[in-house]
Amino acid sequence: MTVKKLMRIIPGLMVTISAILGLIHSPWWFALTLFVGINLTQSGFTDFCPLEKILRKLGFPEQ
């Protein structure tokens, strides 16, 4: 897996899982969905993404 692919997979999984948990368990899980959305929006404007830095430090290949 490359950083580029993981940058789409991980947020997608987080939103999906938190939406399911929000519907089934507790509405507070929608806060995670909101956080992921805000983070994706700010990374689009600033080109800074904490997940990308973490994945690079873990040694995932860039391409």
Side-chain angles (χ1 to χ4, degrees), residues 6-62:
L6 288 169
M7 289 298 298
R8 291 188 176 118
I9 292 170
I10 293 172
L13 283 174
M14 289 180 71
V15 167
T16 303
I17 290 169
S18 67
I20 290 169
L21 288 171
L23 291 171
I24 294 172
H25 188 281
S26 168
W28 283 103
W29 281 101
F30 292 120
L32 178 59
T33 306
L34 180 64
F35 172 76
V36 172
I38 290 170
N39 187 41
L40 287 170
T41 303
Q42 77 79 27
S43 71
F45 284 110
T46 64
D47 283 335
F48 172 75
C49 181
L51 177 60
E52 187 176 5
K53 286 191 168 278
I54 291 169
L55 292 173
R56 285 183 181 153
K57 285 187 178 185
L58 290 174
F60 285 94
E62 190 66 32

